[in-house]
Every structure is written in structure tokens, then in C-alpha cells.
């Protein structure tokens, strides 16, 4: 009997992983869930369509290099099958001009133990993204009799799922921060919505970020799906664009987690960690002042690292502050160049999805 799928956290020894591909990636047209991420003075405003070929080739070269580094360390690497992302998405409830990419698998696939869940994502342009991973999931299903292949309830993404004109471009940064603190986000509670990258897995505890891509109904869904788990809704008030927890709160090993100093963990959740002797360390400042061109993510991809085991971590090579901090925290650091891939959906953690890590479901917060 072959056990292919098993992962309960982001730090136990990694043995099998999916690494994204940038082929055919597009900048999607504006839609209710995404328009607020594009600043008014950005060249991306109003622009959509296939990304320039030379940027796709550069991103793929860095993704291939990540795959090679992992394989050299004995990690099995699978790759998705990209679609022609420039096709429109048309359903009974909406129409949008193109899809996006399958580069950040972490947003689409959530591995919990022997189960992989296809997430209920809120971007219309990402509606079919899971199809790029179907050949792999089908193979795991055929080969691993214990693999649970799941899909969260498919959202309809009709107009009822969004607050329209949520981000009027005249709204200041301060007002956005007030909204984040008040848990006022672009999605409504019409249906279950979540990106897998909003879920931080720590054994029996799931810390789920409530933000622009994940709503409260998703928390309720997780509670009912996993009655034996503790589900924690987390909100980081210092983040004006809260999308995904993995550039905000990143565990390195049992007992040690780095926290974005601009997006501090609220006191209630902080207590859970401190009571159980976890050290919460402010992450090092990013080395860059701006993200690369045509990138939706923040400079905090600096902390979006891929942990290979309790002592080893892959960090973006130009993030010198983060490299140094990892070293001081007792990690062996593997630097690799990855900034050319950022614009396609994120950093080293975003660009991967766990298939197998050693270890079992532990209770870190008894
Ligand atoms: N996908 C992670 C992006 C987080 C950030 O922009 O800070």
C-alpha cells in the first residue's frame, strides 16, 4: 500500500511537493474581488491579457530551479498542467475576460493529513484553476487508497458575493486599515469563500485569516468539517490588503514562528502561543522597497519561505535581512533566486503545495 498524501503542518520533513508553472499566465481583467489590489497609479490599472513571454520564461526558469534544488535534496516534485489561461470564464452567474495562472498552487490546494481540498476561491478569474492540478490529484487517488480528494462547496461568485465599489480609489490607506480592523472586507457572507493560503496548519489547530479572500462562512465550514480540530479566526489589523497568511505569520519549527512586524498577531491568539511556550519573533525587514513590476503581492514575500524540515529553510536569495535572521534563529538556509516568479502569484511558499511531509497530527496547544 502506497501512502502518497500526508501533511499536517509547514515544517515537518518535506518529501513530496507540487511546484507551480508560469506558462500562459495572464493579468486578469478587473473584477469585484481583485480591483482593490491594483493601485490607481499602477501600470496594471486597466491592463489585462497574457503576461509578456520573456517574464514567463524567466519565472519558469526560477520555478524549474526550485524544483531542481528540491529534487537534489531528495524531495519528489510534481508539476501542474497549465491551461490556456487567456480563455474567458462564463457561468450562469458571471462572465470575466480571462483566467490567471496556476503558479501559486498554495492558494488552490489545501492538504490536511491524507486529504487535499480544492479551495472555494473568491476570484472569478481563478474559477477553473484547480483543473491544472486534476491530473496529479487523479494520479494520487489511483495510487493511494487512503487519499481523500475533496472539493469545498463550489461558490457561485454571483454579484451577491461582493460588496461593489468596496474600494473607492479615493479611500486613504488609514481608512483601509480601519476597515481591516473592523473586519470589513470585499466579500460578503453569501457563500463559503476561502483561499487555501489563508489557512495556517499546525496539527490539531487551524489558524485561518479572515480577510479579502476568506470569509466567516468558511470558518464555519471548517468547524463543521473538522469537529475534532480547533479553528481560530485570525485578523491582522495592520494589513491594508489582507490576502493569505503566509507573508504574515510563518512557522519555522515547533515552538518558533515569525510574525510580520506590520501585521501583529492580536493579543487573544498571541496568548495561545505564549501559553504553550512558542516564541513569536518579528520577521526581518524586507530587503526591497517595492515588489517587482506587475506583482500583486507585497514586499513581505521576503518571509514567504519554504521550510524543508525543522532545521532547513529555502529563502529568496536577495532577501539578505531574512537570510541573516534565519541563520540567527538556528536554521540552515538555502538561498535561491526567485523574484522573477513573484509577479505570477507569490513567493516560495505560495509557489508550492504540500503532498507529503513526515509526521502526524500533533496537538501543539494542549
Ligand atoms: N500570497 C501572499 C501575499 C501576501 C502579501 O502580499 O503580503
Amino acid at each position: 500500500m502506497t501512502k502518497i498524501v500526508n501533511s499536517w503542518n509547514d515544517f515537518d520533513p518535506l518529501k513530496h511537493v507540487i511546484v507551480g508553472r508560469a506558462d500562459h499566465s495572464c493579468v486578469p481583467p478587473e473584477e469585484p474581488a481583485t480591483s482593490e489590489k491594483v493601485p490607481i497609479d499602477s501600470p496594471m490599472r486597466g491592463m489585462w491579457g497574457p503576461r509578456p513571454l520573456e517574464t514567463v520564461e524567466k519565472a519558469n526558469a526560477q520555478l524549474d530551479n526550485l524544483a531542481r534544488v528540491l529534487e537534489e535534496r531528495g524531495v519528489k516534485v510534481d508539476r501542474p498542467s497549465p491551461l490556456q489561461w487567456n480563455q474567458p470564464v462564463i457561468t450562469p452567474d458571471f462572465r470575466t475576460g480571462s483566467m490567471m495562472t496556476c503558479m501559486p498552487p498554495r492558494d488552490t490546494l489545501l492538504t490536511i493529513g491524507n486529504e487535499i481540498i480544492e479551495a472555494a476561491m473568491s476570484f472569478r478569474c481563478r474559477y477553473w484553476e484547480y483543473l491544472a492540478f486534476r491530473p496529479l490529484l487523479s494520479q494520487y487517488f489511483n495510487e493511494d487508497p487512503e487519499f481523500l480528494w475533496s472539493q469545498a462547496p463550489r461558490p457561485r461568485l454571483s454579484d451577491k458575493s461582493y460588496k461593489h465599489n468596496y474600494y473607492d480609489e479615493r479611500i486613504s490607506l488609514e481608512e483601509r486599515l480601519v476597515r481591516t480592523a473592523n473586519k470589513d472586507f470585499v466579500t460578503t457572507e453569501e457563500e463559503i469563500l476561502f483561499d487555501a493560503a489563508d489557512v495556517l496548519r499546525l496539527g490539531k489547530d487551524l489558524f485561518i485569516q479572515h480577510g479579502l479572500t476568506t470569509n466567516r462562512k468558511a470558518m464555519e465550514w471548517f468547524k463543521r468539517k473538522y469537529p475534532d480540530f480547533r479553528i481560530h479566526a485570525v485578523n491582522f489589523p495592520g494589513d491594508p490588503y489582507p490576502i493569505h497568511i503566509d507573508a504574515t505569520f510563518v512557522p519555522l519549527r515547533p515552538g518558533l514562528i515569525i510574525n510580520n512586524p506590520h501585521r501583529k498577531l492580536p493579543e487573544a491568539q498571541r496568548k495561545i502561543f505564549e501559553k504553550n511556550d512558542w516564541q513569536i519573533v518579528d520577521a526581518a525587514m524586507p530587503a526591497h522597497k517595492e515588489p517587482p513590476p506587475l506583482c500583486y503581492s507585497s514586499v513581505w514575500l521576503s518571509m514567504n519561505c519554504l521550510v524543508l524540515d525543522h532545521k532547513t529553510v529555502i529563502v529568496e536569495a536577495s532577501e539578505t535581512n531574512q537570510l541573516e535572521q534565519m541563520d540567527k534563529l538556528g536554521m540552515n538556509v538555502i538561498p535561491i533566486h526567485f523574484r522573477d516568479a513573484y509577479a505570477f502569484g507569490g513567493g516560495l511558499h505560495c509557489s508550492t503545495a504540500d503532498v507529503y511531509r513526515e509526521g502526524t497530527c500533533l496537538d501543539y496547544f494542549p
Side-chain angles (χ1 to χ4, degrees), residues 37 104 107 197 209 239 241-248 260 263 296-301 304 345-347 350:
K37 274 294 279 175
D107 303 356
Q209 170 164 272
D239 186 357
Y241 301 104
I243 292 185
H244 306 155
I245 199 164
D246 56 355
T248 297
N260 185 319
R263 309 171 185 169
Y296 285 103
S297 304
S298 76
V299 289
W300 289 100
L301 289 183
N304 187 264
C350 306

Side-chain angles (χ1 to χ4, degrees), residues 90-268:
I90 303 167
T91 78
D93 296 296
F94 69 86
R95 180 187 203 290
T96 190
S98 102
M99 295 178 277
M100 196 164 85
T101 185
C102 62
M103 204 302 271
R106 192 69 66 174
D107 303 356
T108 318
L109 302 179
L110 178 63
T111 310
I112 298 185
N114 63 342
E115 179 167 17
I116 297 182
I117 304 166
E118 296 166 0
M121 298 201 284
S122 63
F123 288 15
R124 289 172 171 173
C125 59
R126 306 189 75 176
Y127 195 73
W128 298 120
E129 207 164 300
Y130 68 93
L131 294 178
F133 303 98
R134 279 286 170 99
L136 293 175
L137 298 187
S138 178
Q139 185 192 330
Y140 305 159
F141 188 79
N142 292 340
E143 294 173 6
D144 177 354
E146 289 178 15
F147 169 46
L148 293 178
W149 180 2
S150 308
Q151 188 172 54
R154 286 291 277 156
R156 294 187 67 153
L157 306 184
S158 76
D159 286 348
K160 289 186 194 155
S161 292
Y162 311 99
K163 294 176 199 162
H164 295 273
N165 304 315
Y166 170 81
Y167 269 121
D168 183 308
E169 56 210 19
R170 287 162 301 191
I171 290 177
S172 66
L173 184 64
E174 289 69 31
E175 285 167 286
R176 288 179 192 207
L177 289 169
V178 170
R179 286 184 173 190
T180 303
N182 290 338
K183 302 179 183 137
D184 173 13
F185 300 115
V186 68
T187 47
T188 64
E189 295 295 330
E190 172 71 15
E191 57 185 347
I192 295 157
L193 295 173
F194 70 94
D195 275 11
D198 279 318
V199 182
L200 167 59
R201 305 161 304 140
L202 284 169
K204 276 185 84 73
D205 291 74
L206 301 178
F207 293 85
I208 307 182
Q209 170 164 272
H210 180 204
L212 295 168
T213 39
T214 294
N215 64 8
R216 301 290 300 197
K217 205 165 245 185
M219 315 281 172
E220 184 55 33
W221 182 76
F222 276 99
K223 277 186 189 158
R224 295 188 200 181
K225 179 165 173 58
Y226 295 111
D228 297 334
F229 281 54
R230 290 179 291 256
I231 310 296
H232 310 266
V234 230
N235 173 259
F236 296 89
D239 186 357
Y241 301 104
I243 292 185
H244 306 155
I245 199 164
D246 56 355
T248 297
F249 200 44
V250 175
L252 300 182
R253 58 177 178 253
L256 179 64
I257 191 157
I258 53 173
N259 186 193
N260 185 319
H262 292 185
R263 309 171 185 169
K264 293 267 195 193
L265 183 69
E267 210 39 49

